Amino acid sequence: SSRTPAWNVLLTQHYPIDDEALCRIVDNNMNLESLSLDGMKIMRGTEMVSNTLHALRNMSVFRLHGCLSLISCEVEWNTYLQDVSLSQCQQLTSFNFHHHVPLLQSLDLSETSINDAVIDNIVSRAQQLRHLRVSKCVMLRTPSISFERLETLDVWGCSGLEHPIINCPALVAIESEDNYS
């Protein structure tokens, strides 16, 4: 199956955005493959973010780096998603895939407030993952990180880690303050 022509949108903190503006971007660009909303401090619509990921089924790259008011992100269905970054979304406590994301290669949830249950969901839905960054996620305690293809894992600064279970046979690099083996 062929994909329609790609459209990309990059917005930075210089462009304030709210739910309505995000809705217009989605409605006018249904073929977006890449959307970066880095540093959007005004964005309030947790539900809108989830709806955006649901509506943009061609999306392969989704970045919300530093969206300080984002609390939750639900990914309903997206078969093309390959790269997701919600790093420095410090209030983010919930991130869930409701279906398998077979092409997801890279996920960055660094400096968020996710917990072990979020990791469990990711393990069950994104088995093709190769790169996982959860550095400075202080709410993680005893996550069970088990991916056949995971090559890099960043758990540096996860000060709450007690006894993580790491079962990743393809792992070639782990960034941490301690030696978890």
Side-chain angles (χ1 to χ4, degrees):
S1 68
S2 65
R3 294 176 70 178
T4 53
W7 294 95
N8 300 302
V9 171
L10 169 65
L11 300 173
T12 63
Q13 58 195 6
H14 306 295
Y15 300 97
I17 192 168
D18 58 15
D19 290 354
E20 245 179 70
L22 185 56
C23 235
R24 282 192 304 277
I25 290 169
V26 171
D27 289 345
N28 294 325
N29 301 284
M30 292 303 291
N31 293 322
L32 280 179
E33 285 188 18
S34 177
L35 180 62
S36 180
L37 301 173
D38 293 350
M40 290 296 156
K41 293 175 176 59
I42 296 175
M43 197 164 89
R44 296 184 294 274
T46 297
E47 183 177 328
M48 192 65 231
V49 170
S50 297
N51 290 343
T52 298
L53 282 170
H54 180 68
L56 298 173
R57 293 177 183 252
N58 288 330
M59 180 79 61
S60 62
V61 177
F62 189 69
R63 295 194 174 120
L64 292 174
H65 174 83
C67 293
L68 300 178
S69 58
L70 184 66
I71 296 169
S72 174
C73 185
E74 307 289 320
V75 181
E76 289 290 335
W77 183 259
N78 188 309
T79 56
Y80 293 114
L81 205 55
Q82 295 176 31
D83 181 0
V84 175
S85 177
L86 300 173
S87 65
Q88 295 182 358
C89 296
Q90 297 167 348
Q91 293 187 51
L92 183 72
T93 57
S94 176
F95 178 77
N96 291 302
F97 291 116
H98 290 279
H99 298 279
H100 290 280
V101 280
L103 299 179
L104 189 66
Q105 298 290 304
S106 179
L107 179 59
D108 188 350
L109 296 172
S110 298
E111 297 183 54
T112 63
S113 297
I114 62 162
N115 60 23
D116 296 349
V118 171
I119 298 295
D120 291 344
N121 174 268
I122 294 165
V123 167
S124 71
R125 305 290 190 199
Q127 267 301 304
Q128 302 303 313
L129 198 63
R130 292 185 184 272
H131 310 282
L132 177 61
R133 296 194 63 200
V134 291
S135 65
K136 297 184 182 178
C137 291
V138 297
M139 301 303 289
L140 291 176
R141 299 290 180 253
T142 57
S144 181
I145 301 170
S146 179
F147 296 96
E148 286 291 318
R149 297 184 177 179
L150 194 71
E151 297 170 5
T152 60
L153 174 63
D154 184 353
V155 292
W156 187 87
C158 295
S159 58
L161 279 181
E162 295 168 4
H163 300 288
I165 299 166
I166 301 172
N167 179 16
C168 304
L171 195 64
V172 294
I174 184 168
E175 180 77 27
S176 72
E177 295 172 317
D178 296 309
N179 184 17
Y180 300 111
S181 42

